[in-house]
């Protein structure tokens, strides 16, 4: 029993000497160190995700060129002669970004006007206007639609999470609820 007591006392003395001499750090310093390392790891992971993930984005309104009779006169100056507001460009993004995130960022960077509202009912953003071209500016069924890899999702752009290599095209439709840009509407 005395032997065990001496061993325990010796260990406690050694522990006391190490902590009082600065051989060990206190728990808050350990936590700070761990937090700093965790933050650095997260930043590195995000940096790698940004470098790995790319998509292509473009904005076009060429259907207006075929429907100029319907276009409000005050909007003609905002329609590019070739229909391209933004020709396809490659964009790096972070994992978890949505179609809306990319549109908002690219429009800000390229100084393209964007008007969108958050709709609580759908928990999503609705794009009303891009480059001063709004819904109903070129007919009763006109407005903005998006497609990803040739497919027109039937839900808000802020709900569509991107995958590496996606091709996003924002199209201005003038009639047929997207029929003139290749969307097939089936009443859903």
């Amino acid at each position: 029993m005395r032997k065990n007591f001496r061993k325990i006392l010796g260990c406690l003395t050694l522990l006391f000497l190490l902590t009082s001499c600065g051989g060990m750090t206190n728990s808050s310093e350990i936590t700070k160190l761990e937090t700093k390392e965790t933050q650095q790891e997260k930043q590195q992971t995000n940096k790698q995700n940004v470098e790995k993930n790319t998509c292509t984005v473009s904005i076009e309104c060429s259907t207006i060129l075929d429907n100029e009779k319907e276009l409000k006169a005050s909007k003609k100056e905002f329609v590019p002669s070739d229909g391209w507001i933004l020709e396809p460009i490659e964009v790096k993004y972070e994992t978890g970004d949505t179609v809306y995130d990319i549109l908002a960022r690219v429009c800000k960077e390229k100084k393209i006007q964007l008007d969108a509202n958050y709709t609580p009912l759908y928990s999503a953003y609705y794009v009303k206007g891009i480059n001063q071209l709004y819904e109903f500016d070129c007919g009763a069924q006109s407005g903005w639609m998006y497609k990803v890899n040739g497919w027109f999702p039937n839900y808000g752009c802020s709900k569509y999470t991107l995958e590496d290599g996606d091709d996003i095209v924002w199209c201005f439709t003038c009639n047929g609820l997207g029929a003139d840009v290749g969307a097939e509407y089936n009443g859903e």
Side-chain angles (χ1 to χ4, degrees):
M1 174 101 165
R2 270 185 161 197
K3 244 182 183 176
N4 285 341
F5 180 73
R6 284 186 181 170
K7 283 183 183 178
I8 292 172
L9 186 61
C11 287
L12 289 174
T13 305
L14 180 61
L15 183 62
F16 174 76
L17 288 174
L18 286 174
T19 56
S20 64
C21 296
M24 292 184 71
T25 57
N26 64 34
S27 63
S28 66
E29 288 175 343
I30 291 171
T31 303
K32 287 178 186 176
L33 181 62
E34 288 173 349
T35 303
K36 188 174 181 180
E37 288 174 355
T38 303
Q39 289 173 345
Q40 289 173 341
E41 288 171 5
K42 285 181 181 178
Q43 288 172 347
Q44 186 65 25
T45 300
N46 285 342
K47 186 177 178 184
Q48 289 170 349
N49 285 342
V50 169
E51 290 172 0
K52 287 182 184 175
N53 298 323
T54 60
C55 66
T56 304
V57 63
S58 59
I59 306 169
E60 66 96 11
C61 60
S62 59
T63 56
I64 294 176
L65 301 174
D66 297 329
N67 295 280
E68 286 187 83
K69 295 179 291 213
E70 301 293 321
L71 184 65
K72 292 178 181 176
S74 62
K75 299 297 183 162
K76 288 187 185 213
E77 68 181 286
F78 302 110
V79 181
S81 60
D82 64 355
W84 287 103
I85 294 169
L86 177 69
E87 291 193 27
I89 60 167
E90 189 172 86
V91 177
K92 292 180 181 177
Y93 70 92
E94 292 186 33
T95 301
D97 279 354
T98 66
V99 169
Y100 178 76
D101 295 330
I102 298 302
L103 177 67
R105 191 173 76 216
V106 167
C107 284
K108 183 177 180 179
E109 289 172 1
K110 301 292 183 182
K111 298 183 180 7
I112 298 170
Q113 180 269 347
L114 172 64
D115 187 0
N117 283 351
Y118 182 77
T119 307
L121 178 64
Y122 299 110
S123 299
Y125 279 90
Y126 175 71
V127 175
K128 298 188 313 181
I130 301 173
N131 200 48
Q132 301 298 333
L133 298 170
Y134 283 79
E135 59 184 344
F136 313 123
D137 277 350
C138 195
Q141 296 180 344
S142 66
W144 289 100
M145 298 181 72
Y146 76 99
K147 61 182 174 179
V148 180
N149 304 324
W151 176 64
F152 288 88
N154 60 351
Y155 48 88
C157 58
S158 58
K159 294 237 179 207
Y160 192 105
T161 304
L162 294 169
E163 293 183 17
D164 191 36
D166 278 346
D167 178 40
I168 307 163
V169 181
W170 281 91
C171 313
F172 193 87
T173 180
C174 292
N175 54 56
L177 300 171
D180 57 345
V181 293
E184 294 181 21
Y185 179 72
N186 60 9
E188 291 180 4

